[in-house]
Amino acid sequence: MADSTDPSLPVDPLRSIASAGPDPSSASASSGIDSPTASARSKPDRPTEPPIAPTTELQFLKGVGPKRAELFARLGLRNARDLLFNFPRAYETLEPTTRPEDLVEKQPATIAGNVTLIETKISRSGMHILGIVIDCGSMKVRSTWFNQSFLRSKLAEGFRVLVSGKPRLEGVRWAFVNPKLIVLREDEPQPEGQILPVYRLTEGLAQHHVRRASQRALEACVDGIDEVMPQRLLDQWRIVDIRRALRGIHQPADADELAAARRRLVFQELVVLQLALAMRRRKLLAECRAPALPVDSVIDARIVRLFPFDLTEDQRRAIEEIAADMGRAVPMNRLLQGDVGVGKTIVAFYAMLLAVAHKHQAVLMAPTEILATQHLKGLRRLLSLAKIDVGVLTGSTSDAERKRTLAGIADGSIPLIVGTHALIQQPIPFDRLGLVIVDEQHKFGVKQRAMLRQAGIDPHYLVMTATPIPRTMTMTAFGDLDVSTLRHGPPNRQPLHTYLGNAEQRDKWWTFFRKKLDEGRQGYVITPLVDDADDGNLTSVKTAFENLTNDVLADYRVDLLHGRQSAVEKGDAMFRFATGETQVLVSTSVVEVGVDVPNATVMTIESAERFGLSQLHQLRGRVARGNHPGYVCAFAEIGNEQAQQRLDAFVGTTDGFELAEIDFRLRGPGDLLGTRQSGLPPLRIADLIRDAEVVAEAREGAIRLLEHDKDLTSPDCERLRRQVLVRYGKVLELGDVG
Ligand code: ADP
Ligand code: MG
């Protein structure tokens, strides 16, 4: 610890206060991944305590200074403690190095040396070429990168680097082309096999700056970080203490140490989330009241009699779960998930009719007018014999009609209301609202909920989604939602065939497409854009429409649908297609969600590489709904490996759950739709896919802990509890848990 007695170090401004004794605010300072405060307490029995406390500002850390501290601040790093909880985003392992004289042509090797020359040029074909010469002591080695101009900023003459790849002899000199590059500091030692942390950077801050500062912070004040977990929990959960975890995450001696450190930090992050969610759930149970709308055999028979088909086993089970929730005087908070076409709508209708049976109102909100209209028609058809009025509120509802509908809602004469999500942008004067259903959306925000609360009574909530959410997600980002899943669709479903077409197969495909139309079926043609793109590579929906109607589909009734049309135009196009007046709908992905035209069985997808995996799957769900097999052909310009993997997965399986997992994996945790939509702060280290097992363990751990200590008030959990409140108290409104 070179710094500990460095006389040049400025005096830590906090130290004099800190060493006066444990101050009350520091009792809560802790190994909190989020705790904004930190322990500034030095241990009086250790006179050689370094003058760096967790709260020491970074400018006072040796080798940082005020200028660089500003750069750190841009990353949100202000004090030593922030550095300790700034976890590496990756690691680099220093491979054993080879002496240049031992290199063998094309045999993988790593060499170390100092950069003596850096050259960049642009080739005649426009390629960026970066070349460096590395002095390895006994000889010089050349290394060249093509089109990796970003590497330039990492390098400077004199820097020590490691270069890994397959060497080639160029004349008398060894050369590497596009090797892996690790930049070390000039004087950084490089023991073989060492694992180096890789941190997030900002312009002007080099990797070794952050590494260096993090090491210093670690050496100087890791012992000043308090443990939030009581020993019994560390033992029970088999996790290492916080100091070992912090050392292991920033400076792992080996892979095992790193794994143990990571496990501790991931577990902590997830267990804190799970504790927060469980505490919130308890609070809701205690505080929120909803109308109890139980089902009985008479009501059930009355509802089911209206249905044109028998319910599947899955639908039955989901209905039982929903009805059980609605029977309690606590608001239901449930997610109904199931692949496209699996039959969620009828389950939703059941729940709505259950509310009506108890003289309560039910609202169904859809993401688009097309879907709202479809639901409206579905409900009216179902209720054609029953005397139950269905009101509709969308953007294109006329003022007069809106007024009439609102009056009916207010006096209770309209028990069922269908609308778009925009429906609740303004307060609606419900008479007795019992149930709110949100279709094709994952989350229903706290604010929206507040608008629907009436005199302290909440309605029940049901959210439906066709994007299957992996189990780990429903347990975390969706941890406060109960889940019902429809896994299997109605019986006698026809198979769905998906093909990836290339240019030569186009004629054959269109012949097939026309044959299906001639047999009486209908079809979709999907393109990603409304207007032609500047680069001219992609076909827009308008161009596709023109081309098709002048060529392969000249003899058929073809219509156009896209998001820039007015609601009326869209509605008309949908109506003509649903009634069979038009045979082919050329459309953008606006038909993606929920549209149900069972007679449509063929689909062409153009520029399929432009769509995400879930979106592709949603799209093809449009042609897998009737009594005829469905056929989808995706034409794609595959530009990269990810697109290839996506499309392979798309043709490889029709299981939406499997696809969702693949999609999450391909897109990476940063892009998980759920965490962002949930409104919870992002996770810092846990990865809901990679750490799936820990998610389950943490959930179990949290539930078990609260079983014996329902508010987490046992004295040895004080710090853990504080951490739950600091991180989630506000967003989850846990404020007054105690
Ligand atoms: P999604 O889950 O995508 O919303 P829908 O509820 O629109 O699916 O149902 C898809 C199709 O399956 C609809 O045409 C619907 O009428 C039909 N369907 C739903 N449940 C059954 C069932 N139990 N038996 C037969 N057909 C059903
Ligand atoms: Mg639907």
Side-chain angles (χ1 to χ4, degrees):
M1 295 218 281
D3 310 348
S4 61
T5 53
D6 189 337
S8 67
L9 256 178
V11 177
D12 178 354
L14 289 168
R15 203 177 168 226
S16 48
I17 311 167
S19 51
D23 87 79
S25 71
S26 77
S28 62
S30 50
S31 58
I33 288 180
D34 269 282
S35 171
T37 55
S39 169
R41 183 169 28 130
S42 327
K43 300 202 177 87
D45 54 329
R46 281 181 53 185
T48 54
E49 182 80 0
I52 302 286
T55 47
T56 303
E57 283 176 37
L58 287 184
Q59 56 166 321
F60 301 119
L61 206 64
K62 192 183 167 202
V64 178
K67 270 239 175 73
R68 201 164 282 154
E70 276 171 31
L71 297 175
F72 276 103
R74 268 195 232 152
L75 294 169
L77 307 172
R78 286 163 217 290
N79 60 28
R81 186 176 184 290
D82 292 342
L83 275 184
L84 296 186
F85 288 93
N86 173 48
F87 305 129
R89 62 171 179 78
Y91 294 87
E92 291 173 337
T93 305
L94 299 186
E95 305 293 341
T97 52
T98 306
R99 294 185 309 167
E101 45 274 42
D102 296 334
L103 289 174
V104 178
E105 181 95 16
K106 292 199 181 133
Q107 287 290 310
T110 299
I111 56 136
N114 292 332
V115 178
T116 59
L117 182 74
I118 304 176
E119 291 170 332
T120 53
K121 17 173 222 225
I122 306 291
S123 77
R124 241 178 290 147
S125 60
M127 206 173 333
H128 182 279
I129 304 170
L130 168 65
I132 65 171
V133 176
I134 304 163
D135 185 347
C136 302
S138 53
M139 65 175 78
K140 288 184 176 166
V141 173
R142 202 179 156 75
S143 182
T144 311
W145 290 269
F146 294 98
N147 278 344
Q148 298 187 41
S149 53
F150 63 92
L151 289 179
R152 176 63 189 86
S153 63
K154 291 172 112 185
L155 289 163
E157 277 173 29
F159 272 15
R160 194 159 177 80
V161 294
L162 292 185
V163 156
S164 305
K166 295 178 181 169
R168 284 200 322 233
L169 212 46
E170 277 180 2
V172 293
R173 190 180 265 183
W174 285 106
F176 288 79
V177 175
N178 291 335
K180 194 178 147 213
L181 171 74
I182 297 182
V183 181
L184 305 165
R185 260 171 58 98
E186 303 113 275
D187 56 346
E188 205 159 20
Q190 345 110 40
E192 293 182 355
Q194 187 183 327
I195 302 173
L196 287 182
V198 179
Y199 297 95
R200 277 180 310 131
L201 298 176
T202 184
E203 180 149 6
L205 208 55
Q207 193 56 248
H208 67 256
H209 294 143
V210 189
R211 265 184 205 151
R212 200 63 178 177
S214 303
Q215 301 304 337
R216 278 180 199 285
L218 194 68
E219 284 158 14
C221 67
V222 71
D223 289 330
I225 299 292
D226 291 326
E227 177 58 77
V228 283
M229 307 267 194
Q231 187 62 42
R232 65 181 166 106
L233 292 180
L234 296 179
D235 295 342
Q236 188 183 325
W237 292 335
R238 293 172 294 111
I239 51 180
V240 300
D241 67 70
I242 189 64
R243 291 166 199 164
R244 251 177 86 185
L246 290 174
R247 283 196 193 94
I249 207 80
H250 291 288
Q251 212 169 23
D254 54 38
D256 289 343
E257 211 175 282
L258 175 57
R262 195 170 177 282
R263 179 184 150 80
R264 150 75 201 230
L265 296 166
V266 167
F267 195 95
Q268 174 173 346
E269 183 165 50
L270 293 172
V271 93
V272 164
L273 171 58
Q274 291 297 339
L275 286 167
L277 291 171
M279 283 157 81
R280 167 154 107 148
R281 178 177 292 238
R282 239 179 54 81
K283 187 168 173 266
L284 284 178
L285 285 181
E287 284 177 7
C288 294
R289 280 184 308 123
L293 312 169
V295 74
D296 59 37
S297 55
V298 178
I299 296 176
D300 180 72
R302 263 186 7 227
I303 296 174
V304 170
R305 204 170 46 211
L306 299 170
F307 293 172
F309 40 67
D310 292 332
L311 294 168
T312 64
E313 215 173 287
D314 280 7
Q315 285 169 329
R316 260 277 151 219
R317 190 163 18 81
I319 284 172
E320 270 166 31
E321 288 163 354
I322 290 166
D325 283 1
M326 288 175 65
R328 283 184 219 114
V330 177
M332 166 168 74
N333 205 12
R334 187 170 282 276
L335 175 75
L336 174 62
Q337 63 171 358
D339 210 347
V340 282
V342 81
K344 295 182 290 294
T345 313
I346 203 78
V347 175
F349 287 178
Y350 187 106
M352 295 175 84
L353 295 173
L354 177 55
V356 173
H358 288 279
K359 308 232 164 351
H360 277 74
Q361 291 168 308
V363 176
L364 173 56
M365 285 188 282
T368 62
E369 293 216 24
I370 294 177
L371 274 190
T373 310
Q374 187 176 288
H375 283 318
L376 177 72
K377 287 189 183 141
L379 269 174
R380 287 199 171 143
R381 208 179 314 130
L382 212 59
L383 299 172
S384 53
L385 297 178
K387 272 206 151 46
I388 301 175
D389 210 353
V390 189
V392 60
L393 288 175
T394 69
S396 59
T397 309
S398 71
D399 282 351
E401 197 188 331
R402 187 177 176 85
K403 227 168 154 184
R404 213 168 336 117
T405 307
L406 287 175
I409 293 173
D411 68 20
S413 59
I414 299 182
L416 294 175
I417 302 100
V418 175
T420 46
H421 290 160
L423 168 77
I424 49 146
Q425 293 310 312
Q426 304 145 31
I428 305 276
F430 290 103
D431 178 37
R432 286 219 289 176
L433 182 60
L435 172 70
V436 174
I437 301 182
V438 185
D439 192 14
E440 305 293 356
Q441 185 146 312
H442 308 282
K443 193 75 188 179
F444 193 59
V446 176
K447 267 218 317 263
Q448 290 146 302
R449 258 163 222 230
M451 290 190 69
L452 293 168
R453 179 173 299 161
Q454 285 180 300
I457 303 282
D458 279 270
H460 296 282
Y461 292 101
L462 181 66
V463 182
M464 302 199 280
T465 176
T467 305
I469 298 164
R471 182 83 187 109
T472 47
M473 301 277 302
T474 56
M475 286 195 298
T476 48
F478 295 86
D480 57 340
L481 281 184
D482 294 307
V483 180
S484 293
T485 304
L486 301 183
R487 195 75 224 218
H488 305 287
N492 309 322
R493 268 291 153 87
Q494 292 293 321
L496 173 63
H497 306 277
T498 306
Y499 312 96
L500 199 53
N502 57 37
E504 291 95 74
Q505 291 161 323
R506 273 187 184 275
D507 287 347
K508 226 174 117 194
W509 168 252
W510 283 114
T511 306
F512 177 82
F513 195 102
R514 283 191 304 258
K515 185 171 145 252
K516 288 292 149 196
L517 299 180
D518 295 339
E519 287 170 11
R521 306 285 77 77
Q522 290 164 281
Y524 296 96
V525 179
I526 309 293
T527 77
L529 299 176
V530 179
D531 291 306
D532 281 327
D534 298 335
D535 59 12
N537 284 334
L538 295 161
T539 320
S540 70
V541 68
K542 291 173 185 164
T543 310
F545 177 76
E546 262 171 46
N547 292 347
L548 292 169
T549 47
N550 284 310
D551 187 18
V552 290
L553 297 179
D555 300 330
Y556 298 85
R557 301 184 302 278
V558 185
D559 216 340
L560 182 65
L561 178 72
H562 59 77
R564 298 250 189 88
Q565 289 167 325
S566 72
V568 175
E569 284 174 304
K570 277 188 283 194
D572 288 351
M574 249 351 273
F575 181 79
R576 287 190 296 268
F577 189 64
T579 53
E581 192 182 325
T582 47
Q583 293 167 286
V584 180
L585 197 55
V586 182
S587 170
T588 56
S589 59
V590 291
V591 292
E592 183 187 332
V593 274
V595 169
D596 184 25
V597 181
N599 190 45
T601 63
V602 275
M603 175 178 281
T604 308
I605 304 178
E606 298 287 357
S607 306
E609 76 282 357
R610 283 306 191 92
F611 296 101
L613 191 47
S614 313
Q615 212 181 4
L616 286 169
H617 185 62
Q618 291 264 340
L619 285 167
R620 77 173 155 190
R622 303 303 114 231
V623 295
R625 344 202 95 227
N627 308 317
H628 305 278
Y631 302 91
V632 178
C633 190
F635 292 99
E637 194 74 43
I638 298 172
N640 61 48
E641 199 186 328
Q642 239 221 36
Q644 180 73 59
Q645 286 174 328
R646 249 192 344 254
L647 291 165
D648 284 349
F650 178 54
V651 292
T653 177
T654 51
D655 182 334
F657 281 82
E658 206 180 316
L659 286 173
E661 298 248 356
I662 295 172
D663 200 21
F664 285 132
R665 214 165 287 139
L666 286 179
R667 290 191 297 169
D671 203 20
L672 291 183
L673 73 159
T675 28
R676 239 182 295 123
Q677 290 203 357
S678 70
L680 297 176
L683 295 171
R684 296 219 181 155
I685 186 166
D687 170 337
L688 296 181
I689 297 293
R690 180 175 159 193
D691 299 315
E693 273 173 41
V694 191
V695 172
E697 245 183 283
R699 180 178 176 80
E700 193 130 302
I703 291 171
R704 285 236 322 255
L705 183 58
L706 294 178
E707 259 167 31
H708 302 289
D709 183 6
K710 60 186 168 58
D711 290 319
L712 208 60
T713 42
S714 68
D716 68 348
C717 285
E718 169 58 22
R719 285 183 179 146
L720 184 56
R721 182 165 179 283
R722 285 235 56 84
Q723 179 153 129
V724 172
L725 293 181
V726 164
R727 187 152 167 83
Y728 294 108
K730 255 224 180 87
V731 272
L732 293 183
E733 297 176 334
L734 295 173
D736 48 342
V737 166

Coordinates of all heavy atoms in Angstrom, one line a residue, residues 308-313 315 336-348 371 374-375 381 439-440 464-466 486 489-491 493 593-598 618 621-622 624-627, ligand 1:
P308 N -68.6 -19.5 -28.3 CA -68.9 -20.3 -29.5 C -68.1 -21.6 -29.5 O -68.2 -22.4 -30.4 CB -68.5 -19.4 -30.6 CG -67.5 -18.5 -30.1 CD -67.8 -18.3 -28.6
F309 N -67.2 -21.8 -28.5 CA -66.4 -23.0 -28.5 C -66.1 -23.4 -27.1 O -66.3 -22.7 -26.2 CB -65.1 -22.8 -29.3 CG -64.4 -21.5 -29.1 CD1 -63.9 -21.2 -27.8 CD2 -64.3 -20.5 -30.1 CE1 -63.3 -19.9 -27.6 CE2 -63.7 -19.3 -29.8 CZ -63.2 -19.0 -28.6
D310 N -65.6 -24.7 -26.9 CA -65.2 -25.1 -25.6 C -63.9 -24.5 -25.3 O -63.0 -24.4 -26.1 CB -65.1 -26.6 -25.6 CG -66.4 -27.3 -25.7 OD1 -67.4 -26.7 -25.3 OD2 -66.5 -28.4 -26.3
L311 N -63.7 -24.2 -24.0 CA -62.4 -23.6 -23.6 C -61.4 -24.7 -23.5 O -61.7 -25.9 -23.2 CB -62.6 -23.0 -22.2 CG -63.5 -21.7 -22.2 CD1 -63.8 -21.3 -20.7 CD2 -62.8 -20.6 -22.9
T312 N -60.2 -24.3 -23.8 CA -59.1 -25.3 -23.6 C -58.8 -25.5 -22.1 O -59.2 -24.6 -21.3 CB -57.8 -24.9 -24.3 OG1 -57.3 -23.7 -23.7 CG2 -58.1 -24.6 -25.8
E313 N -58.0 -26.5 -21.8 CA -57.6 -26.7 -20.4 C -56.8 -25.5 -19.9 O -57.0 -25.1 -18.8 CB -56.7 -28.0 -20.4 CG -56.9 -28.8 -19.2 CD -56.1 -30.1 -19.4 OE1 -56.5 -31.0 -20.2 OE2 -55.0 -30.2 -18.8
Q315 N -57.0 -22.4 -20.9 CA -57.9 -21.3 -20.7 C -58.7 -21.4 -19.4 O -58.9 -20.5 -18.7 CB -58.8 -21.2 -21.9 CG -58.1 -20.6 -23.2 CD -59.0 -20.7 -24.4 OE1 -59.8 -21.6 -24.6 NE2 -58.8 -19.8 -25.3
L336 N -51.4 -12.1 -18.0 CA -51.9 -13.3 -18.8 C -51.0 -13.3 -20.0 O -51.1 -12.5 -20.9 CB -53.3 -13.1 -19.2 CG -53.9 -14.2 -20.1 CD1 -53.8 -15.6 -19.5 CD2 -55.3 -13.9 -20.5
Q337 N -50.1 -14.3 -20.1 CA -49.2 -14.4 -21.2 C -49.5 -15.7 -22.0 O -49.8 -16.7 -21.5 CB -47.8 -14.3 -20.8 CG -47.3 -15.4 -19.9 CD -45.8 -15.3 -19.7 OE1 -45.1 -14.5 -20.3 NE2 -45.2 -16.3 -19.0
G338 N -49.3 -15.5 -23.3 CA -49.5 -16.7 -24.2 C -49.2 -16.2 -25.6 O -49.4 -15.1 -26.0
D339 N -48.6 -17.2 -26.3 CA -48.2 -16.9 -27.7 C -49.3 -16.4 -28.5 O -50.5 -16.5 -28.2 CB -47.7 -18.2 -28.3 CG -46.6 -18.0 -29.3 OD1 -46.4 -16.9 -29.7 OD2 -46.0 -19.0 -29.7
V340 N -49.0 -15.7 -29.6 CA -50.0 -15.2 -30.5 C -50.9 -16.3 -30.9 O -50.5 -17.4 -31.2 CB -49.4 -14.6 -31.8 CG1 -48.8 -13.2 -31.5 CG2 -48.3 -15.5 -32.4
G341 N -52.2 -16.0 -30.9 CA -53.2 -16.9 -31.4 C -53.6 -18.0 -30.4 O -54.4 -18.9 -30.8
V342 N -53.0 -18.0 -29.2 CA -53.3 -19.1 -28.3 C -54.7 -19.0 -27.7 O -55.2 -19.9 -27.1 CB -52.1 -19.1 -27.2 CG1 -52.4 -18.1 -26.1 CG2 -51.9 -20.5 -26.6
G343 N -55.2 -17.8 -27.7 CA -56.6 -17.6 -27.2 C -56.8 -16.8 -25.9 O -57.5 -17.2 -25.0
K344 N -56.1 -15.7 -25.8 CA -56.2 -14.9 -24.6 C -57.5 -14.1 -24.5 O -58.0 -13.9 -23.5 CB -55.0 -14.0 -24.6 CG -53.6 -14.7 -24.4 CD -52.5 -13.7 -24.3 CE -52.2 -12.9 -25.6 NZ -51.7 -13.7 -26.7
T345 N -58.0 -13.7 -25.7 CA -59.1 -12.8 -25.7 C -60.3 -13.3 -25.0 O -60.9 -12.6 -24.2 CB -59.5 -12.5 -27.2 OG1 -58.3 -12.2 -27.9 CG2 -60.5 -11.3 -27.2
I346 N -60.6 -14.6 -25.2 CA -61.8 -15.1 -24.6 C -61.7 -15.2 -23.0 O -62.6 -15.0 -22.3 CB -62.1 -16.5 -25.2 CG1 -63.6 -16.9 -25.0 CG2 -61.3 -17.6 -24.6 CD1 -64.5 -16.2 -26.0
V347 N -60.4 -15.4 -22.6 CA -60.2 -15.4 -21.1 C -60.5 -14.0 -20.6 O -61.1 -13.8 -19.5 CB -58.7 -15.8 -20.8 CG1 -58.4 -15.7 -19.4 CG2 -58.5 -17.2 -21.3
A348 N -60.0 -13.0 -21.4 CA -60.3 -11.6 -21.0 C -61.8 -11.3 -20.9 O -62.3 -10.7 -20.0 CB -59.6 -10.6 -21.9
L371 N -57.3 -2.9 -33.2 CA -57.5 -3.9 -32.2 C -58.7 -3.6 -31.3 O -59.5 -4.5 -30.9 CB -56.3 -4.1 -31.3 CG -55.3 -5.1 -31.9 CD1 -54.2 -5.3 -30.8 CD2 -55.9 -6.4 -32.3
Q374 N -61.7 -4.5 -33.2 CA -61.8 -5.9 -33.2 C -62.4 -6.5 -31.9 O -63.3 -7.3 -31.9 CB -60.5 -6.5 -33.5 CG -60.5 -8.0 -33.8 CD -59.1 -8.5 -34.1 OE1 -58.6 -8.2 -35.2 NE2 -58.5 -9.2 -33.2
H375 N -61.9 -6.0 -30.8 CA -62.4 -6.4 -29.5 C -63.9 -6.0 -29.4 O -64.7 -6.8 -28.8 CB -61.6 -5.8 -28.4 CG -60.3 -6.5 -28.2 ND1 -60.1 -7.9 -28.2 CD2 -59.1 -6.0 -27.9 CE1 -58.9 -8.2 -28.0 NE2 -58.2 -7.0 -27.8
R381 N -70.6 -9.4 -30.7 CA -71.0 -10.7 -31.3 C -71.4 -11.6 -30.1 O -72.4 -12.3 -30.2 CB -69.9 -11.3 -32.1 CG -70.4 -12.1 -33.3 CD -69.2 -12.7 -34.1 NE -68.3 -11.7 -34.5 CZ -66.9 -11.9 -34.3 NH1 -66.4 -13.0 -33.8 NH2 -66.1 -10.9 -34.7
D439 N -54.5 -4.9 -23.1 CA -54.1 -5.9 -24.0 C -52.8 -5.5 -24.7 O -52.5 -4.3 -25.0 CB -55.2 -6.0 -25.1 CG -54.9 -7.3 -26.0 OD1 -54.1 -8.1 -25.6 OD2 -55.5 -7.3 -27.1
E440 N -51.9 -6.5 -24.9 CA -50.7 -6.3 -25.6 C -49.8 -5.2 -25.1 O -49.2 -4.4 -25.8 CB -50.9 -6.0 -27.1 CG -51.8 -7.1 -27.8 CD -51.1 -8.4 -28.0 OE1 -49.9 -8.6 -27.6 OE2 -51.8 -9.3 -28.4
M464 N -52.3 -8.3 -20.5 CA -52.1 -9.4 -21.5 C -50.9 -9.2 -22.4 O -50.7 -8.0 -22.8 CB -53.3 -9.6 -22.3 CG -54.6 -9.9 -21.5 SD -55.9 -10.6 -22.6 CE -56.5 -9.2 -23.4
T465 N -50.1 -10.2 -22.6 CA -49.0 -10.0 -23.6 C -48.8 -11.3 -24.4 O -48.9 -12.4 -23.9 CB -47.7 -9.6 -22.8 OG1 -46.7 -9.5 -23.8 CG2 -47.3 -10.6 -21.8
A466 N -48.4 -11.0 -25.6 CA -48.1 -12.1 -26.5 C -46.6 -12.3 -26.6 O -46.1 -13.2 -27.3 CB -48.7 -11.9 -27.9
L486 N -50.9 -19.3 -21.0 CA -51.6 -20.2 -21.9 C -50.5 -20.8 -22.8 O -49.8 -20.1 -23.6 CB -52.6 -19.4 -22.8 CG -53.7 -18.7 -22.1 CD1 -54.7 -18.1 -23.1 CD2 -54.5 -19.7 -21.2
G489 N -52.5 -23.8 -27.6 CA -53.6 -23.2 -28.3 C -54.8 -24.2 -28.4 O -54.7 -25.4 -27.9
P490 N -55.9 -23.8 -29.0 CA -57.0 -24.7 -29.2 C -56.6 -25.9 -30.0 O -55.7 -25.8 -30.8 CB -58.0 -23.8 -29.9 CG -57.6 -22.4 -29.8 CD -56.1 -22.4 -29.5
P491 N -57.3 -27.0 -29.8 CA -57.0 -28.2 -30.6 C -57.2 -28.0 -32.1 O -57.9 -27.1 -32.5 CB -57.9 -29.3 -30.0 CG -59.0 -28.5 -29.4 CD -58.5 -27.2 -28.9
R493 N -55.4 -27.1 -34.3 CA -54.7 -26.0 -34.9 C -53.9 -26.5 -36.1 O -53.3 -27.6 -36.0 CB -53.8 -25.3 -33.9 CG -54.4 -24.2 -33.1 CD -54.7 -23.0 -34.1 NE -55.8 -22.2 -33.6 CZ -55.7 -21.2 -32.7 NH1 -54.6 -21.0 -32.2 NH2 -56.8 -20.6 -32.4
V593 N -49.9 -6.7 -33.9 CA -50.5 -7.2 -32.7 C -52.0 -7.5 -32.8 O -52.8 -6.7 -33.2 CB -50.4 -6.1 -31.6 CG1 -49.0 -6.3 -30.9 CG2 -50.5 -4.7 -32.1
G594 N -52.2 -8.8 -32.5 CA -53.6 -9.1 -32.3 C -54.6 -9.3 -33.4 O -55.7 -9.8 -33.2
V595 N -54.3 -8.8 -34.6 CA -55.3 -8.8 -35.7 C -55.7 -10.3 -36.0 O -54.8 -11.1 -36.1 CB -54.8 -8.1 -36.9 CG1 -55.7 -8.3 -38.1 CG2 -54.6 -6.6 -36.6
D596 N -56.9 -10.5 -36.1 CA -57.4 -11.9 -36.2 C -58.3 -12.0 -37.4 O -59.5 -11.7 -37.4 CB -58.2 -12.2 -34.9 CG -58.7 -13.6 -34.9 OD1 -58.0 -14.5 -35.5 OD2 -59.6 -13.9 -34.2
V597 N -57.7 -12.5 -38.5 CA -58.5 -12.8 -39.7 C -58.2 -14.3 -40.1 O -57.3 -14.5 -40.8 CB -58.2 -11.9 -40.9 CG1 -59.1 -12.2 -42.1 CG2 -58.4 -10.4 -40.5
P598 N -59.0 -15.2 -39.6 CA -58.7 -16.6 -39.7 C -58.5 -17.1 -41.1 O -57.8 -18.0 -41.4 CB -59.8 -17.3 -39.0 CG -60.5 -16.3 -38.1 CD -60.2 -15.0 -38.8
Q618 N -44.6 -12.4 -34.0 CA -45.9 -11.8 -33.9 C -46.6 -11.7 -35.2 O -47.8 -11.9 -35.4 CB -45.8 -10.3 -33.3 CG -45.4 -10.3 -31.9 CD -46.6 -10.1 -31.0 OE1 -47.7 -9.7 -31.4 NE2 -46.4 -10.5 -29.7
G621 N -47.9 -14.8 -36.6 CA -49.0 -15.2 -35.8 C -50.3 -14.9 -36.5 O -51.4 -15.5 -36.2
R622 N -50.3 -13.9 -37.4 CA -51.5 -13.5 -38.1 C -52.0 -14.6 -39.0 O -53.2 -14.5 -39.4 CB -51.2 -12.2 -39.0 CG -50.7 -11.0 -38.3 CD -51.6 -10.5 -37.2 NE -50.9 -10.6 -36.0 CZ -51.4 -11.2 -34.9 NH1 -52.6 -11.7 -34.9 NH2 -50.7 -11.3 -33.8
A624 N -51.8 -17.9 -38.5 CA -51.8 -19.3 -37.9 C -53.1 -19.3 -37.0 O -53.0 -19.8 -35.9 CB -50.6 -19.5 -37.0
R625 N -54.2 -18.9 -37.5 CA -55.3 -18.8 -36.6 C -56.6 -19.6 -37.1 O -57.5 -19.7 -36.3 CB -55.8 -17.3 -36.5 CG -54.8 -16.3 -37.0 CD -55.1 -15.0 -36.3 NE -54.3 -14.8 -35.2 CZ -54.8 -14.4 -34.0 NH1 -56.1 -14.2 -33.8 NH2 -54.0 -14.3 -33.0
G626 N -56.5 -20.1 -38.2 CA -57.8 -20.7 -38.7 C -57.7 -22.2 -38.9 O -57.0 -22.9 -38.2
N627 N -58.5 -22.7 -39.8 CA -58.6 -24.1 -40.0 C -57.7 -24.6 -41.2 O -57.8 -25.7 -41.6 CB -60.1 -24.5 -40.3 CG -61.0 -24.0 -39.3 OD1 -60.7 -24.0 -38.1 ND2 -62.1 -23.4 -39.7
Ligands
ADP1 P1 -54.4 -14.2 -28.8 O1 -54.0 -15.0 -27.7 O2 -53.3 -14.0 -29.8 O3 -55.1 -12.9 -28.4 P2 -57.0 -14.9 -29.8 O4 -57.7 -14.7 -28.5 O5 -57.2 -13.8 -30.8 O6 -55.5 -15.1 -29.6 O7 -57.5 -16.3 -30.4 C1 -57.0 -16.7 -31.6 C2 -58.1 -17.5 -32.3 O8 -58.4 -18.7 -31.7 C3 -59.4 -16.7 -32.4 O9 -59.9 -16.8 -33.7 C4 -60.3 -17.4 -31.4 O10 -61.7 -17.3 -31.7 C5 -59.8 -18.8 -31.4 N1 -60.0 -19.5 -30.2 C6 -59.7 -19.1 -29.0 N2 -59.9 -20.1 -28.0 C7 -60.5 -21.1 -28.7 C8 -60.9 -22.4 -28.3 N3 -60.9 -22.8 -27.0 N4 -61.4 -23.2 -29.2 C9 -61.4 -22.8 -30.5 N5 -61.0 -21.6 -31.0 C10 -60.5 -20.8 -30.1

